[in-house]
Amino acid sequence: MSKLSDFRKSYELGELDEAEAADGPLALFNRWMEEAIGHDVSEPTAMTVATVGANGRPSTRVVLLKGCDTRGFVWFTNYESRKGEELAGNPYAALQFHWVEMERVVRIEGRVEKTSAEESDDYFKSRPLDSRLGAWASPQSRAISSRAVLVANAAKAALQHGLNPARPPHWGGYRLVPERFEFWQGRRSRLHDRLVFSRDADRWVRERLAP
């Protein structure tokens, strides 16, 4: 195995100044997301979601962003999964986008709430049939004896629900309502740009952090 401490990378692709962030964090995020999509970044909507369990220990997983507006950032999942159970006990989370090809990171923190049933229904109907059946087939985060369990569950779901399965009651959306944004742009000599926005009542307060 290569010596990990020898790996080095010089970040030289961009910069982030206060003028670029003048319109606030959501506008800047939307612009960066559009640039990531246009830059052919691999999985630009992939984000790490961090939650904390009742034992005080954090856990992370990668999900896909499915909606973003002034109300917050939306993803969909099994409510009975580990993240669902942790959010039920502690409804706060952190998101992280890492666009390696653009040397950028966005971190977002805030309170999490479930989306409405109508919003979850609408998104569920838009999913491919296999994905809708998979929501019924997978007891997410539970131990299973083998992959054959999933295959059998999927076949059973197909027979039971046919071509138009309804949304399972244990599956739906979450929305993180942001209270803090951090935008990170890699720079040469490790003098990276970091701009943070913190919510203060109905306005955002911007600060620059040392790298």
Side-chain angles (χ1 to χ4, degrees):
M1 183 176 179
S2 301
K3 188 177 179 182
L4 299 181
S5 60
D6 288 342
F7 280 84
R8 295 286 187 276
K9 176 179 173 60
S10 180
Y11 297 96
E12 302 181 4
L13 293 181
E15 60 185 47
L16 175 60
D17 60 29
E18 283 73 5
E20 185 179 356
D23 293 331
L26 184 59
L28 179 55
F29 176 84
N30 286 338
R31 185 160 65 251
W32 275 22
M33 175 61 80
E34 290 295 332
E35 290 175 2
I37 294 171
H39 198 77
D40 289 330
V41 167
S42 177
E43 295 280 19
T45 65
M47 59 183 186
T48 300
V49 178
T51 56
V52 176
N55 58 5
R57 296 188 178 188
S59 63
T60 65
R61 72 288 293 157
V62 177
V63 303
L64 299 180
L65 178 68
K66 293 300 180 181
C68 170
D69 56 27
T70 56
R71 297 173 297 167
F73 293 73
V74 174
W75 69 96
F76 295 87
T77 190
N78 188 315
Y79 290 143
E80 297 176 351
S81 63
R82 179 178 177 181
K83 58 184 170 296
E85 292 180 347
E86 291 183 345
L87 287 170
N90 180 12
Y92 292 89
L95 312 177
Q96 178 169 294
F97 296 84
H98 188 189
W99 296 314
V100 178
E101 297 91 337
M102 304 183 71
E103 301 175 353
R104 287 175 172 175
V105 174
V106 182
R107 299 166 57 200
I108 307 166
E109 301 171 16
R111 183 177 178 86
V112 178
E113 60 192 24
K114 288 182 178 179
T115 62
S116 68
E118 292 77 15
E119 194 170 352
S120 293
D121 286 340
D122 287 344
Y123 175 70
F124 188 78
K125 292 174 185 176
S126 74
R127 306 182 84 207
L129 177 59
D130 287 349
S131 297
R132 283 178 281 158
L133 293 173
W136 283 101
S138 175
Q140 193 175 117
S141 300
R142 303 296 189 268
I144 56 176
S145 59
S146 69
R147 182 173 178 81
V149 173
L150 293 178
V151 176
N153 286 352
K156 180 180 177 181
L159 288 173
Q160 182 176 354
H161 299 286
L163 298 178
N164 190 27
R167 176 176 63 89
H170 57 265
W171 192 98
Y174 286 108
R175 175 178 285 106
L176 183 140
V177 181
E179 299 172 354
R180 187 180 191 273
F181 287 81
E182 179 178 332
F183 296 86
W184 182 97
Q185 175 70 64
R187 297 293 300 273
R188 184 180 298 180
S189 303
R190 294 298 188 266
L191 299 179
H192 310 305
D193 290 325
R194 295 176 66 189
L195 294 184
V196 169
F197 292 82
S198 301
R199 183 177 288 281
D200 181 12
D202 60 348
R203 70 188 185 99
W204 290 100
V205 177
R206 186 185 68 216
E207 297 177 298
R208 176 176 285 270
L209 300 185

